Amino acid sequence: MTLGERQGDEKNDSKYCGVETEFNDDMPQLLSLNIHGGFDFVVAPLMDPTYRPSLLVSSNGGSGVLPFAGSDLVLSPSQWSSHVVGKISSWLDLDSEDEMLRRDSEITLKQEIAWASHLSLQACLLPAPKGVTCANYARCVNQILQNLSNMQLWLRVPLEKSDDDDGNRSPNSMGEEHRDSWEMWNSFRTLGEHHSQLSVALDVLSSLPSVNSLARWFGEPVRAAIINSNSFLTNARGYPCLSKRHQNLLTECFNHSIQIVISGQQMQNFPTGTSVSNSHNSNNQSEGVEGMQRHPLRSYLDYIAYLYQKMDPLPEQERFELGYRDYLQSPLQPLMDNLEAQTYETFEKDTTKYIQYQRAVAKALVDRVPDEKASTITTVLMVVGAGRGPLVRASLQAAEETGRKLKVYAVEKNPNAIVTLHSLLKIEGWEKLVTIVSSDMRCWDAPEKADILVSELLGSFGDNELSPECLDGAQRFLKEDGISIPSSYTSFFQPVTASKLYNDIKSHKDLVHFETAYVVKFHRVARLTSPQPVFTFNHPEDSTRKSNHRYTKLRFEIPTDTGSALVHGFAGYFDSVLYKDVHLGIEPSTATPNMFSWFPIFFPLRTPMCVQPGIPLEVHIWRCCGTSKVWYEWGVTSPSSSPIHNCNGRSYWVGL
Amino acid sequence: MTLGERQGDEKNDSKYCGVETEFNDDMPQLLSLNIHGGFDFVVAPLMDPTYRPSLLVSSNGGSGVLPFAGSDLVLSPSQWSSHVVGKISSWLDLDSEDEMLRRDSEITLKQEIAWASHLSLQACLLPAPKGVTCANYARCVNQILQNLSNMQLWLRVPLEKSDDDDGNRSPNSMGEEHRDSWEMWNSFRTLGEHHSQLSVALDVLSSLPSVNSLARWFGEPVRAAIINSNSFLTNARGYPCLSKRHQNLLTECFNHSIQIVISGQQMQNFPTGTSVSNSHNSNNQSEGVEGMQRHPLRSYLDYIAYLYQKMDPLPEQERFELGYRDYLQSPLQPLMDNLEAQTYETFEKDTTKYIQYQRAVAKALVDRVPDEKASTITTVLMVVGAGRGPLVRASLQAAEETGRKLKVYAVEKNPNAIVTLHSLLKIEGWEKLVTIVSSDMRCWDAPEKADILVSELLGSFGDNELSPECLDGAQRFLKEDGISIPSSYTSFFQPVTASKLYNDIKSHKDLVHFETAYVVKFHRVARLTSPQPVFTFNHPEDSTRKSNHRYTKLRFEIPTDTGSALVHGFAGYFDSVLYKDVHLGIEPSTATPNMFSWFPIFFPLRTPMCVQPGIPLEVHIWRCCGTSKVWYEWGVTSPSSSPIHNCNGRSYWVGL
């Protein structure tokens, strides 16, 4: 059974809900009880919790039979792997001062994981580190991970952080007292080199840290949220429910494919014979097999299912983009390469974008030609980078809408798109209105000057597809008082936690991939501050400024109630002023709605940087221009210095 | 001319002394004046200091002739490269808020370095960063370094650090105010990825930071120390001299091949016709060419030469080890590999070591056999790992010295050494005293048990050549109350700055070399704290403890007056108790004098860690034992976490 179905979200793991159990020798019975009770999987101890290797040696003289919960034969291989998460013994303390306990813990950890691996379990839950240090625990897990097949290890981390004195905590609190469990996690995974099979199971407690502090976790590899029955409240009708903040947290978990696990005991007797879920929905077939006792945690499960089902369905655009989530793409190089028909096809469908262009052109036409001269003056409009004609169409529609007379030049360097343009003219009957020019705008010898220059050369980071260089080249044939649409654009930077992206880049095992910017639909990402503007370009540019070289230094302050956070890199966006108040962009706070042409861009850091509360994050970005290419360099100087990334554009550049 | 000659130290660059000059169009005259004035090289501006690219464009319309100090033809290629260090224009400010100045600075920097490179200069002196940030400067230098031939770039760094509030400075002072120029340097070179052609020219000022603060620099790539004439005092006879602390600093510079450059003006008139150097030494031939004026800075030079010449000559052992300084060697694997004759030859010459062994055996014999039984009791002594016999000899000499009767077994696994042993017995007439056993001590079936077990299986880190495993194997044939020589040994760890070693390791461009420990004669290394003990092994071992696995956590506190420092890794040492008060070791505070068998060992960090004042450095070290190998793992958890190095011994291990 699952928590429910959600349209377009069929692959979301979070529809499966698990339950944490006690050790039980009879694994088939344990599983049957819980599956029939409505859960999808159990998080069950694999080893008798009284086992200690040091006692075993002296007691049985080494018969070698370890006290596991049943042999591998008691369940089918698919039962083991689909329905059982191995819960590693919770007594383990690998950083104990007691050497005997430490060594027993090491041996047992290795034995249990080896057993789980033998059973082909998909995951094991590692107990939370006991003390303030976890170096030996991290080392053992790291050793194990080097030779582990596909199994995930979920490190249990209590979701706790004391907020009372974030501002003035000393930076060496690490090792002194762990008030922020994120720091323990960060140390653990850093010691383990960010291994991709090491993830987090958050223990959700009855009180929650601040919203900012919670938000960090959604950039981390959290696979499960374990919620104890004692974190539930009781509603007026006597059923379990959760506080509003807990509900929001669970919704975020569902949205991030984080599986819920219910743990603990039934806290009180709930009204019998019915369940809270009945009052909310009719998902009734799961009432349990006849004759079997109702699962003691069933009311909690029903409530979780209720929360799952009452979520809003995914918007259509989100559903369409599901497959792109957190998938790294190299940015287009439309100047150096010619776009393919498929690419034109996709982008031309973005009606929102062309509506904005039409509005901008319309406003420019009205500003340029007063009503009384509408019938006498013909405005010369050049679409530079016309592609297969969508901006030509938007411009002609703007002319019609405003009753202005228009003469259009459609300049396009891609000879394949020129074919389509010619055919478009015939079909639409635009032959007298539009002149097609097959040329690179940077070298076209225009027969007259334009009143309005229209282009769509922007990349996710604004200037990263070389709009400035192209428009500088086209400015020769714009009248002195002419208008460029867009008239300006600005790029933005925002520090993010993005461990999934970091691991994908790391998997290439080279420097080049860490010095490349990627177009990516962010999903499992934590945005740590508001974005800040980076570079702005204006068109037409007054001629005194010759260079498109840029340098900007930004200083980000992460809210102190966030706690420490790991910065894997920077999300990049743009916003563009098409004309006056008509803008277009993807900067989150002002993003144009329902536009899908651009995903954000991601600038990674070779070494993720941990930023502690109250300490600014200072980053430097350069836009460098050579004779045949343009590239970015970037680096951090606070809290500590990183290397400068992409020196001389050695890894990533855009060809002129 | 040079400052002088020092026996055994002929390759020391610091015998050459330079002088910083003003811009002079007439380079041949400038050079001649200074060379004849007694200096070995000039640090001279290459470009007219009034030049600004932005002015040039408007004034001469781009004739393209840059105002360099003479063409390349005015000096011979060897004059340029041997006698001229290019001084980059000091007006450059690449991090100015003034964009025009910033761009002028970038252009000029690139032009001057390109010119210096064209002249094949060995080095250029870069001006000190002007402000609190240096990111753009660092980026430009980084870009230049990527395509630079062999030239060194010396970044000028004022040797200054305010000491008043080290303890409680906030960690984000970086970027706020630079009270410690080391932090600026550290940021600069980190941004530049520790490029090996980027080094430091320290500007020595009239007041000096604390001794600890100065000491950090000797682990950094300092190539030159520039001392201004206004840092000199005047002695009773009216000549320039330096404070005691300045003298000590200069001596350290000489010892670390750091070249001195004198700068500034003659501060006063010194007594004419003679010079301070005459009163100290007779190095008189350098009085200058007849008819030429005496160089205004000559008295300062003479004083520097005097300091150079009054240094103690290098001890013989230091001279012998000169070629090994900062040279990384892989540790021996004497258990897995058989040593070669040459290796035996070298180590057998270490008489100090064998004298200590002889003392230890003598004491053990006396303890074991009272004087009155000396003639009746025969002590059974086994040398395990006898090699070519030096410990056999030392043991027999101890027996003779104490009048005890000895029966010796010489156990050796290397069949080649067995040949030598047999021949030694014949030559020395020891056939009746010594039994040769050609066997690995771990599997030898001894005919009787030993009173005393003597071995020399120690590596630079004590247990790193598997002495514990070998002696565990040999303990079977030691009597219950028998004595092991050594009876215990302890390894030590000490954090160091060692940029030269770091760069050598980095040059391999792989992970393996960063996860390997190296035997190395430290020289350009800064030891940041006292060493702390790591692992101790005792022999014979009481049998309850079965494993030679070890785990230790150390916490180092760098003295706060040091300031921040970069930790490139850890120096490792050992000390060994041979018997009672007879010890042997290389831990610096207790090192056995005149012993040359062991250099220290170096455990690197993949990413050097910057440690700020008041924040402890916490490191964890494991000794791990597998079925066929033993290895170390290590990692740092404070100030921040590093990865665990050498997981599962993947990069570095010792074969059993």
Side-chain angles (χ1 to χ4, degrees), chain B residues 368-402:
Chain B
R368 197 133 184 109
V369 180
D371 281 343
E372 60 276 19
K373 296 196 177 165
S375 59
T376 54
I377 296 182
T378 298
T379 303
V380 178
L381 182 147
M382 295 179 179
V383 178
V384 287
R388 306 197 310 183
L391 285 182
V392 171
R393 184 186 304 273
S395 301
L396 290 172
Q397 281 169 354
E400 198 176 314
E401 174 195 333
T402 56

mmCIF file of all heavy atoms in Angstrom, chain B residues 368-402:
data_model
loop_
_atom_site.group_PDB
_atom_site.id
_atom_site.type_symbol
_atom_site.label_atom_id
_atom_site.label_comp_id
_atom_site.label_asym_id
_atom_site.label_seq_id
_atom_site.Cartn_x
_atom_site.Cartn_y
_atom_site.Cartn_z
ATOM 1 N N ARG B 368 70.433 -8.937 34.829
ATOM 2 C CA ARG B 368 69.983 -10.320 34.715
ATOM 3 C C ARG B 368 70.918 -11.280 35.445
ATOM 4 O O ARG B 368 70.470 -12.282 36.019
ATOM 5 C CB ARG B 368 69.916 -10.679 33.231
ATOM 6 C CG ARG B 368 69.102 -11.884 32.957
ATOM 7 C CD ARG B 368 68.129 -11.728 31.822
ATOM 8 N NE ARG B 368 67.352 -12.939 31.741
ATOM 9 C CZ ARG B 368 66.083 -13.017 32.073
ATOM 10 N NH1 ARG B 368 65.415 -11.935 32.428
ATOM 11 N NH2 ARG B 368 65.460 -14.175 32.019
ATOM 12 N N VAL B 369 72.195 -10.985 35.416
ATOM 13 C CA VAL B 369 73.189 -11.888 36.014
ATOM 14 C C VAL B 369 74.016 -11.107 37.033
ATOM 15 O O VAL B 369 74.792 -10.223 36.652
ATOM 16 C CB VAL B 369 74.116 -12.467 34.916
ATOM 17 C CG1 VAL B 369 75.144 -13.405 35.540
ATOM 18 C CG2 VAL B 369 73.286 -13.178 33.847
ATOM 19 N N PRO B 370 73.850 -11.420 38.314
ATOM 20 C CA PRO B 370 74.656 -10.715 39.315
ATOM 21 C C PRO B 370 76.140 -11.036 39.137
ATOM 22 O O PRO B 370 76.494 -12.077 38.572
ATOM 23 C CB PRO B 370 74.123 -11.245 40.647
ATOM 24 C CG PRO B 370 73.389 -12.501 40.319
ATOM 25 C CD PRO B 370 72.947 -12.411 38.890
ATOM 26 N N ASP B 371 76.967 -10.140 39.600
ATOM 27 C CA ASP B 371 78.409 -10.292 39.440
ATOM 28 C C ASP B 371 78.899 -11.672 39.860
ATOM 29 O O ASP B 371 79.710 -12.295 39.184
ATOM 30 C CB ASP B 371 79.139 -9.229 40.297
ATOM 31 C CG ASP B 371 79.135 -7.867 39.607
ATOM 32 O OD1 ASP B 371 78.879 -7.821 38.372
ATOM 33 O OD2 ASP B 371 79.362 -6.851 40.292
ATOM 34 N N GLU B 372 78.345 -12.168 40.984
ATOM 35 C CA GLU B 372 78.866 -13.431 41.539
ATOM 36 C C GLU B 372 78.532 -14.626 40.662
ATOM 37 O O GLU B 372 79.157 -15.680 40.773
ATOM 38 C CB GLU B 372 78.357 -13.639 42.976
ATOM 39 C CG GLU B 372 76.853 -13.717 43.141
ATOM 40 C CD GLU B 372 76.162 -12.362 43.250
ATOM 41 O OE1 GLU B 372 76.762 -11.338 42.855
ATOM 42 O OE2 GLU B 372 74.999 -12.321 43.714
ATOM 43 N N LYS B 373 77.572 -14.466 39.764
ATOM 44 C CA LYS B 373 77.228 -15.582 38.886
ATOM 45 C C LYS B 373 77.702 -15.353 37.459
ATOM 46 O O LYS B 373 77.356 -16.113 36.551
ATOM 47 C CB LYS B 373 75.715 -15.793 38.896
ATOM 48 C CG LYS B 373 75.196 -16.202 40.280
ATOM 49 C CD LYS B 373 73.803 -16.782 40.196
ATOM 50 C CE LYS B 373 73.333 -17.245 41.581
ATOM 51 N NZ LYS B 373 71.896 -17.476 41.620
ATOM 52 N N ALA B 374 78.477 -14.319 37.249
ATOM 53 C CA ALA B 374 78.885 -13.940 35.902
ATOM 54 C C ALA B 374 79.602 -15.070 35.179
ATOM 55 O O ALA B 374 79.452 -15.255 33.961
ATOM 56 C CB ALA B 374 79.787 -12.703 35.955
ATOM 57 N N SER B 375 80.327 -15.855 35.895
ATOM 58 C CA SER B 375 81.103 -16.885 35.225
ATOM 59 C C SER B 375 80.335 -18.185 35.041
ATOM 60 O O SER B 375 80.757 -19.064 34.304
ATOM 61 C CB SER B 375 82.389 -17.147 36.016
ATOM 62 O OG SER B 375 82.020 -17.556 37.334
ATOM 63 N N THR B 376 79.200 -18.306 35.706
ATOM 64 C CA THR B 376 78.480 -19.577 35.618
ATOM 65 C C THR B 376 77.245 -19.502 34.717
ATOM 66 O O THR B 376 76.910 -20.449 34.021
ATOM 67 C CB THR B 376 78.030 -20.048 37.021
ATOM 68 O OG1 THR B 376 77.282 -18.991 37.636
ATOM 69 C CG2 THR B 376 79.222 -20.396 37.881
ATOM 70 N N ILE B 377 76.583 -18.365 34.738
ATOM 71 C CA ILE B 377 75.347 -18.276 33.962
ATOM 72 C C ILE B 377 75.634 -17.776 32.553
ATOM 73 O O ILE B 377 76.320 -16.767 32.376
ATOM 74 C CB ILE B 377 74.330 -17.345 34.641
ATOM 75 C CG1 ILE B 377 73.920 -17.945 35.991
ATOM 76 C CG2 ILE B 377 73.094 -17.131 33.747
ATOM 77 C CD1 ILE B 377 72.883 -17.144 36.729
ATOM 78 N N THR B 378 75.101 -18.474 31.579
ATOM 79 C CA THR B 378 75.197 -18.004 30.205
ATOM 80 C C THR B 378 73.847 -17.425 29.791
ATOM 81 O O THR B 378 72.817 -18.085 29.901
ATOM 82 C CB THR B 378 75.561 -19.155 29.256
ATOM 83 O OG1 THR B 378 76.846 -19.656 29.648
ATOM 84 C CG2 THR B 378 75.615 -18.664 27.807
ATOM 85 N N THR B 379 73.869 -16.218 29.389
ATOM 86 C CA THR B 379 72.636 -15.554 28.955
ATOM 87 C C THR B 379 72.398 -15.850 27.478
ATOM 88 O O THR B 379 73.336 -15.766 26.661
ATOM 89 C CB THR B 379 72.758 -14.037 29.170
ATOM 90 O OG1 THR B 379 73.038 -13.794 30.550
ATOM 91 C CG2 THR B 379 71.490 -13.319 28.738
ATOM 92 N N VAL B 380 71.155 -16.240 27.179
ATOM 93 C CA VAL B 380 70.808 -16.473 25.769
ATOM 94 C C VAL B 380 70.247 -15.171 25.184
ATOM 95 O O VAL B 380 69.229 -14.657 25.665
ATOM 96 C CB VAL B 380 69.772 -17.607 25.633
ATOM 97 C CG1 VAL B 380 69.378 -17.792 24.160
ATOM 98 C CG2 VAL B 380 70.327 -18.901 26.223
ATOM 99 N N LEU B 381 70.927 -14.657 24.191
ATOM 100 C CA LEU B 381 70.512 -13.397 23.561
ATOM 101 C C LEU B 381 70.242 -13.663 22.085
ATOM 102 O O LEU B 381 71.062 -14.290 21.404
ATOM 103 C CB LEU B 381 71.602 -12.347 23.753
ATOM 104 C CG LEU B 381 71.342 -10.945 23.194
ATOM 105 C CD1 LEU B 381 71.987 -9.875 24.072
ATOM 106 C CD2 LEU B 381 71.813 -10.807 21.756
ATOM 107 N N MET B 382 69.103 -13.228 21.642
ATOM 108 C CA MET B 382 68.772 -13.420 20.234
ATOM 109 C C MET B 382 68.666 -12.063 19.555
ATOM 110 O O MET B 382 67.931 -11.184 20.009
ATOM 111 C CB MET B 382 67.463 -14.173 20.088
ATOM 112 C CG MET B 382 67.539 -15.611 20.619
ATOM 113 S SD MET B 382 65.960 -16.450 20.464
ATOM 114 C CE MET B 382 66.383 -18.079 21.121
ATOM 115 N N VAL B 383 69.398 -11.935 18.480
ATOM 116 C CA VAL B 383 69.256 -10.731 17.662
ATOM 117 C C VAL B 383 68.279 -11.078 16.542
ATOM 118 O O VAL B 383 68.570 -11.936 15.705
ATOM 119 C CB VAL B 383 70.602 -10.272 17.082
ATOM 120 C CG1 VAL B 383 70.394 -9.051 16.189
ATOM 121 C CG2 VAL B 383 71.592 -9.970 18.200
ATOM 122 N N VAL B 384 67.117 -10.468 16.584
ATOM 123 C CA VAL B 384 66.119 -10.790 15.547
ATOM 124 C C VAL B 384 66.118 -9.670 14.516
ATOM 125 O O VAL B 384 65.898 -8.510 14.836
ATOM 126 C CB VAL B 384 64.720 -11.019 16.166
ATOM 127 C CG1 VAL B 384 64.687 -12.358 16.896
ATOM 128 C CG2 VAL B 384 64.321 -9.899 17.110
ATOM 129 N N GLY B 385 66.403 -10.045 13.288
ATOM 130 C CA GLY B 385 66.693 -9.066 12.254
ATOM 131 C C GLY B 385 68.142 -8.638 12.381
ATOM 132 O O GLY B 385 68.443 -7.474 12.612
ATOM 133 N N ALA B 386 69.044 -9.614 12.264
ATOM 134 C CA ALA B 386 70.454 -9.347 12.559
ATOM 135 C C ALA B 386 71.148 -8.604 11.427
ATOM 136 O O ALA B 386 72.214 -8.024 11.622
ATOM 137 C CB ALA B 386 71.187 -10.663 12.845
ATOM 138 N N GLY B 387 70.573 -8.631 10.248
ATOM 139 C CA GLY B 387 71.203 -7.952 9.113
ATOM 140 C C GLY B 387 72.597 -8.495 8.884
ATOM 141 O O GLY B 387 72.790 -9.707 8.865
ATOM 142 N N ARG B 388 73.563 -7.603 8.754
ATOM 143 C CA ARG B 388 74.940 -8.040 8.549
ATOM 144 C C ARG B 388 75.734 -8.042 9.851
ATOM 145 O O ARG B 388 76.963 -8.089 9.843
ATOM 146 C CB ARG B 388 75.618 -7.154 7.518
ATOM 147 C CG ARG B 388 74.825 -7.071 6.209
ATOM 148 C CD ARG B 388 75.651 -6.559 5.056
ATOM 149 N NE ARG B 388 76.356 -5.315 5.397
ATOM 150 C CZ ARG B 388 77.111 -4.630 4.543
ATOM 151 N NH1 ARG B 388 77.242 -5.071 3.285
ATOM 152 N NH2 ARG B 388 77.726 -3.530 4.907
ATOM 153 N N GLY B 389 75.029 -7.951 10.997
ATOM 154 C CA GLY B 389 75.682 -8.241 12.263
ATOM 155 C C GLY B 389 76.029 -7.121 13.220
ATOM 156 O O GLY B 389 76.632 -7.386 14.262
ATOM 157 N N PRO B 390 75.674 -5.865 12.959
ATOM 158 C CA PRO B 390 76.105 -4.813 13.888
ATOM 159 C C PRO B 390 75.593 -5.002 15.312
ATOM 160 O O PRO B 390 76.318 -4.693 16.265
ATOM 161 C CB PRO B 390 75.560 -3.532 13.255
ATOM 162 C CG PRO B 390 74.459 -3.967 12.349
ATOM 163 C CD PRO B 390 74.871 -5.313 11.844
ATOM 164 N N LEU B 391 74.347 -5.521 15.466
ATOM 165 C CA LEU B 391 73.826 -5.718 16.825
ATOM 166 C C LEU B 391 74.483 -6.921 17.486
ATOM 167 O O LEU B 391 74.576 -7.000 18.709
ATOM 168 C CB LEU B 391 72.304 -5.896 16.804
ATOM 169 C CG LEU B 391 71.469 -4.640 16.586
ATOM 170 C CD1 LEU B 391 69.982 -4.981 16.632
ATOM 171 C CD2 LEU B 391 71.789 -3.575 17.632
ATOM 172 N N VAL B 392 74.933 -7.894 16.681
ATOM 173 C CA VAL B 392 75.668 -9.036 17.223
ATOM 174 C C VAL B 392 76.976 -8.522 17.824
ATOM 175 O O VAL B 392 77.333 -8.830 18.965
ATOM 176 C CB VAL B 392 75.940 -10.076 16.113
ATOM 177 C CG1 VAL B 392 76.888 -11.161 16.626
ATOM 178 C CG2 VAL B 392 74.638 -10.669 15.593
ATOM 179 N N ARG B 393 77.597 -7.648 17.067
ATOM 180 C CA ARG B 393 78.851 -7.078 17.548
ATOM 181 C C ARG B 393 78.626 -6.258 18.828
ATOM 182 O O ARG B 393 79.346 -6.425 19.822
ATOM 183 C CB ARG B 393 79.465 -6.198 16.453
ATOM 184 C CG ARG B 393 80.835 -5.627 16.824
ATOM 185 C CD ARG B 393 81.330 -4.637 15.754
ATOM 186 N NE ARG B 393 81.389 -5.230 14.425
ATOM 187 C CZ ARG B 393 82.442 -5.911 13.954
ATOM 188 N NH1 ARG B 393 83.513 -6.076 14.715
ATOM 189 N NH2 ARG B 393 82.423 -6.416 12.748
ATOM 190 N N ALA B 394 77.629 -5.417 18.806
ATOM 191 C CA ALA B 394 77.343 -4.573 19.978
ATOM 192 C C ALA B 394 77.039 -5.438 21.197
ATOM 193 O O ALA B 394 77.486 -5.151 22.317
ATOM 194 C CB ALA B 394 76.165 -3.636 19.681
ATOM 195 N N SER B 395 76.316 -6.538 20.992
ATOM 196 C CA SER B 395 75.950 -7.416 22.110
ATOM 197 C C SER B 395 77.185 -8.111 22.664
ATOM 198 O O SER B 395 77.355 -8.222 23.893
ATOM 199 C CB SER B 395 74.915 -8.449 21.649
ATOM 200 O OG SER B 395 73.765 -7.806 21.168
ATOM 201 N N LEU B 396 78.029 -8.583 21.785
ATOM 202 C CA LEU B 396 79.229 -9.273 22.244
ATOM 203 C C LEU B 396 80.160 -8.308 22.985
ATOM 204 O O LEU B 396 80.770 -8.661 23.996
ATOM 205 C CB LEU B 396 79.952 -9.911 21.051
ATOM 206 C CG LEU B 396 79.224 -11.118 20.431
ATOM 207 C CD1 LEU B 396 79.913 -11.571 19.143
ATOM 208 C CD2 LEU B 396 79.165 -12.295 21.424
ATOM 209 N N GLN B 397 80.209 -7.059 22.461
ATOM 210 C CA GLN B 397 81.035 -6.061 23.154
ATOM 211 C C GLN B 397 80.477 -5.755 24.538
ATOM 212 O O GLN B 397 81.238 -5.578 25.512
ATOM 213 C CB GLN B 397 81.122 -4.781 22.315
ATOM 214 C CG GLN B 397 82.137 -4.922 21.172
ATOM 215 C CD GLN B 397 82.067 -3.781 20.159
ATOM 216 O OE1 GLN B 397 81.184 -2.942 20.243
ATOM 217 N NE2 GLN B 397 82.987 -3.778 19.206
ATOM 218 N N ALA B 398 79.146 -5.733 24.642
ATOM 219 C CA ALA B 398 78.517 -5.492 25.951
ATOM 220 C C ALA B 398 78.856 -6.633 26.915
ATOM 221 O O ALA B 398 79.095 -6.412 28.109
ATOM 222 C CB ALA B 398 77.017 -5.360 25.789
ATOM 223 N N ALA B 399 78.857 -7.855 26.405
ATOM 224 C CA ALA B 399 79.179 -9.016 27.240
ATOM 225 C C ALA B 399 80.622 -8.927 27.723
ATOM 226 O O ALA B 399 80.920 -9.149 28.903
ATOM 227 C CB ALA B 399 78.962 -10.306 26.444
ATOM 228 N N GLU B 400 81.478 -8.550 26.817
ATOM 229 C CA GLU B 400 82.888 -8.434 27.173
ATOM 230 C C GLU B 400 83.074 -7.344 28.226
ATOM 231 O O GLU B 400 83.739 -7.541 29.248
ATOM 232 C CB GLU B 400 83.670 -8.108 25.899
ATOM 233 C CG GLU B 400 85.160 -8.381 26.051
ATOM 234 C CD GLU B 400 85.880 -8.145 24.725
ATOM 235 O OE1 GLU B 400 85.365 -8.641 23.683
ATOM 236 O OE2 GLU B 400 86.896 -7.447 24.723
ATOM 237 N N GLU B 401 82.426 -6.227 27.973
ATOM 238 C CA GLU B 401 82.524 -5.067 28.861
ATOM 239 C C GLU B 401 82.042 -5.396 30.281
ATOM 240 O O GLU B 401 82.603 -4.916 31.263
ATOM 241 C CB GLU B 401 81.650 -3.969 28.225
ATOM 242 C CG GLU B 401 81.449 -2.701 29.016
ATOM 243 C CD GLU B 401 80.280 -1.879 28.423
ATOM 244 O OE1 GLU B 401 80.000 -2.007 27.204
ATOM 245 O OE2 GLU B 401 79.646 -1.142 29.190
ATOM 246 N N THR B 402 81.010 -6.237 30.365
ATOM 247 C CA THR B 402 80.433 -6.534 31.683
ATOM 248 C C THR B 402 80.915 -7.870 32.230
ATOM 249 O O THR B 402 80.528 -8.267 33.327
ATOM 250 C CB THR B 402 78.897 -6.600 31.591
ATOM 251 O OG1 THR B 402 78.535 -7.579 30.600
ATOM 252 C CG2 THR B 402 78.317 -5.262 31.203
#
